[in-house]
Amino acid sequence: MTSDASTAEVVGRVLAAHGVRRVFGVVGSGNFHVTNALVAGGATFVATAHEAGAATMADAYARTSGAVGVVSVHQGPGVTNALTGIAEAAKSHTPLIVLAPEATAERSNFFIDLRAAATAVGARFQRVRAERAAEDVTAAYRAAAQGNCVVLGLPLDVQARSARFSVPELPEQLAEPVPSVAELVAAVRAAQRPVFIGGRGARGAREPLVRLADRCGALLAVSAAAKGLFTGDPWNLDVSGGFATPLAVELIGAADLVVAWGSTLNMWTTRHQRLIGPHATVVQVDRDPTALGVNRPVDVGVAGDVAAVASTVDELLDPWRGNGYRSDDVRARIASDGRWRDVSYVDDSTAGRIDPRTVSVALDDLLPAERTVAVDSGNFMGYPSMFLSVPDVVGFCFTQGFQSVGLGLASALGAAVARPDRLTVAALGDGGFLMSAAELVTAVRLGLPLLIVVYNDAAYGAEVHHFGHSLETVTFPDTDLAAIARGYGCDAVTVRAVDDLDPVVSWLAGPRDRPMLVDAKVTGERGSWWLEEAFKGH
């Protein structure tokens, strides 16, 4: 069925017809019509305080829901305000469409070189044409669904032109041919201490990876981006790299075979390649052939879909089985020492400030198991990443592809929209919170079950501990963040000791119809070892 409409209306209606049900953004003169058309087609518009928040909410929504995310912004400054979130989505291969109105007259005060801006941050760019509007939108949707961030240029003079509305069919997803896996099969057979590391590209491949690991006796680990992938498995070592437990470091370091599934084994996952032993055989499986060996030499590279490759290797090995790295002793050690909360530490809490590890462990005990944890960037970030458990891989939203401080609150909001059935936890530093506090308006408006935990050391902790700047440039007055949150309409509590968390217990009991902010006054004397490790690569 075809009919005439404006190009802007066709764009919105085609996206809605392809299944878009949420669009995040800030509306203005250039994106009113396309946004209205999306809403008329059945999508819900989530209004945000700022375009930076809108882009990151759409990113997190896509990661958590598995659907294509959509963000709608104004021309010119609306686009530039959103660029950091767009860069994060592009670097993280998030399926995202940016509806970007475009002033094409170079003397317009709204003019920017939109194609160049998109390319500069790693996003794809496509411009809508009136005569092929439905086809252009469908092509953008298809590219996004394949794991790309697409900036869809909507020229202002084109939007009002008449266009034909139709809904082109999306091409059927064909099964990709499985490459030769003979070398991988041989490596798995020969290994006595195999370890599998699942990365972002393995997020949908838990079952075939666990099945193959059970066959060959491999231990399971993940990059930070895939935390939660193997939750509940007795052979799960959790995160490899800077957040790894001492036991994970020991066992991964002693492996004679490391297979990276959808992970590029970057410096974060391998501690600058020191985590993997020099005598280990290293195999990398990735859908993108250009990713093979991109961060370190590998002995075997397999370009293919992670789930399909794992299933094929499992079939070729059948009925062979090996014990590999699995023994009663290793299993017992993982059960007793496999979580950071099981590793003893000296509590640094003082009369006025709480150790960030202590408050994290206490919260982990209080919060329901069904949760989503969204983590901002900064000196604090390891504490929630290491001490707060998540139920599965979509329960951890880690917007660190661009390493921007200040995305955590918006990430949590996007994740909460995607999974309102779960409690969402926004784990922020005080610097990142102050950057993004305007989105508390959005949090209160949406009324989602959201707990905001601010690890407040009154500083940009990374700079204090690692960069040696004059401290007055990177330290803050001791600000009452709880009072700020109450001003926006949130419940809030200041925490200096575990007993101060009692109001959180009451809030958790319900109805949780407004966000709760925890201003955790944490000790700041200790620098984070994970950032010290990371900065060696800068």
Side-chain angles (χ1 to χ4, degrees):
M1 177 179 177
T2 62
S3 61
D4 287 326
S6 72
T7 299
E9 290 170 333
V10 167
V11 172
R13 289 168 65 183
V14 170
L15 285 174
H18 285 317
V20 171
R21 289 296 173 263
R22 291 286 188 280
V23 54
F24 299 79
V26 178
V27 290
S29 60
N31 65 326
F32 269 129
H33 295 300
V34 66
T35 305
N36 286 339
L38 259 167
V39 172
T44 298
F45 178 66
V46 180
T48 67
H50 196 276
E51 292 90 351
T56 303
M57 286 181 214
D59 177 355
Y61 173 83
R63 298 184 196 213
T64 307
S65 68
V68 172
V70 177
V71 57
S72 178
V73 296
H74 187 268
Q75 64 269 25
V79 176
T80 57
N81 281 346
L83 274 180
T84 297
I86 295 169
E88 168 64 35
K91 291 177 183 295
S92 298
H93 306 286
T94 301
L96 181 69
I97 295 174
V98 183
L99 298 176
E102 189 176 9
T104 54
E106 292 191 14
R107 295 185 66 84
S108 167
N109 59 320
F110 288 130
F111 174 78
I112 61 171
D113 188 336
L114 188 59
R115 181 186 298 275
T119 302
V121 297
R124 294 194 180 192
F125 177 76
Q126 183 163 335
R127 183 173 286 130
V128 169
R129 300 161 293 179
E131 64 274 15
R132 291 190 57 82
E135 291 81 2
D136 290 341
V137 173
T138 297
Y141 183 87
R142 181 171 64 248
Q146 292 171 345
N148 297 288
C149 176
V150 181
V151 174
L152 189 60
L154 307 174
L156 296 177
D157 58 337
V158 171
Q159 288 193 46
R161 293 180 193 169
S162 179
R164 296 291 285 172
F165 171 66
S166 63
V167 185
E169 289 188 13
L170 293 168
E172 192 174 333
Q173 190 76 21
L174 300 176
E176 299 177 16
V178 178
S180 171
V181 295
E183 289 183 279
L184 175 52
V185 169
V188 169
R189 277 187 180 275
Q192 295 181 325
R193 295 180 305 282
V195 171
F196 290 176
I197 299 178
R200 191 189 312 277
R203 285 171 60 95
R206 174 184 165 116
E207 288 187 16
L209 287 176
V210 168
R211 192 164 55 243
L212 178 58
D214 288 345
R215 179 176 297 283
C216 68
L219 304 184
L220 298 163
V222 291
S223 70
K227 181 179 171 67
L229 178 60
F230 300 122
T231 292
D233 192 284
W235 305 102
N236 178 27
L237 300 176
D238 203 24
V239 178
S240 169
F243 299 159
T245 63
L247 178 62
V249 171
E250 174 193 334
L251 294 175
I252 295 171
D256 62 355
L257 171 67
V258 173
V259 185
W261 301 92
S263 166
T264 60
L265 296 176
N266 61 25
M267 66 179 185
W268 315 101
T269 306
T270 63
R271 296 192 176 184
H272 293 278
Q273 309 305 330
R274 295 194 305 274
L275 186 58
I276 298 173
H279 304 297
T281 297
V282 179
V283 179
Q284 187 182 350
V285 181
D286 203 290
R287 192 173 189 172
D288 179 6
T290 66
L292 300 177
V294 69
N295 287 311
R296 59 156 294 152
V298 296
D299 299 292
V300 178
V302 180
D305 177 75
V306 166
V309 170
S311 295
T312 300
V313 172
D314 185 56
E315 291 169 6
L316 291 173
L317 287 170
D318 188 43
W320 174 86
R321 303 192 76 86
N323 293 326
Y325 219 150
R326 300 186 177 186
S327 65
D328 291 341
D329 176 63
V330 169
R331 182 169 184 155
R333 293 186 67 195
I334 293 173
S336 63
D337 301 316
R339 301 181 303 167
W340 267 107
R341 61 174 298 151
D342 299 323
V343 179
S344 63
Y345 66 93
V346 176
D347 193 321
D348 289 338
S349 299
T350 65
R353 291 194 170 269
I354 189 168
D355 189 309
R357 296 165 293 186
T358 301
V359 72
S360 299
V361 171
L363 285 168
D364 193 48
D365 288 337
L366 289 177
L367 303 180
E370 285 296 308
R371 65 183 76 156
T372 304
V373 178
V375 181
D376 205 341
S377 189
N379 186 68
F380 79 96
M381 61 193 284
Y383 299 115
S385 299
M386 297 188 303
F387 289 93
L388 296 183
S389 59
V390 293
D392 50 36
V393 72
V394 296
F396 191 65
C397 193
F398 197 61
T399 46
Q400 302 294 333
F402 199 34
Q403 289 180 250
S404 173
V405 174
L407 304 185
L409 179 55
S411 294
L413 284 167
V417 170
R419 292 297 304 265
D421 56 311
R422 288 182 169 181
L423 173 69
T424 300
V425 181
L428 320 174
D430 48 314
F433 167 74
L434 291 169
M435 282 186 180
S436 59
E439 294 302 346
L440 289 178
V441 167
T442 309
V444 170
R445 181 194 302 125
L446 294 175
L448 296 165
L450 178 67
L451 180 69
I452 304 163
V453 181
V454 183
Y455 291 77
N456 184 1
D457 62 358
Y460 284 126
E463 285 73 8
V464 167
H465 294 292
H466 302 294
F467 288 158
H469 291 302
S470 174
L471 292 187
E472 60 265 22
T473 66
V474 291
T475 55
F476 310 136
D478 190 5
T479 307
D480 188 349
L481 303 185
I484 292 173
R486 292 189 194 99
Y488 279 99
C490 301
D491 287 333
V493 62
T494 300
V495 172
R496 301 180 185 275
V498 170
D499 289 346
D500 295 335
L501 289 170
D502 288 347
V504 177
V505 177
S506 300
W507 180 83
L508 287 170
R512 303 188 213 166
D513 54 357
R514 66 169 75 187
M516 160 67 87
L517 182 134
V518 175
D519 180 6
K521 305 292 189 181
V522 298
T523 55
E525 290 74 21
R526 184 185 299 274
S528 61
W529 64 91
W530 54 86
L531 277 185
E532 183 176 353
E533 178 73 27
F535 290 151
K536 293 175 184 176
H538 289 253

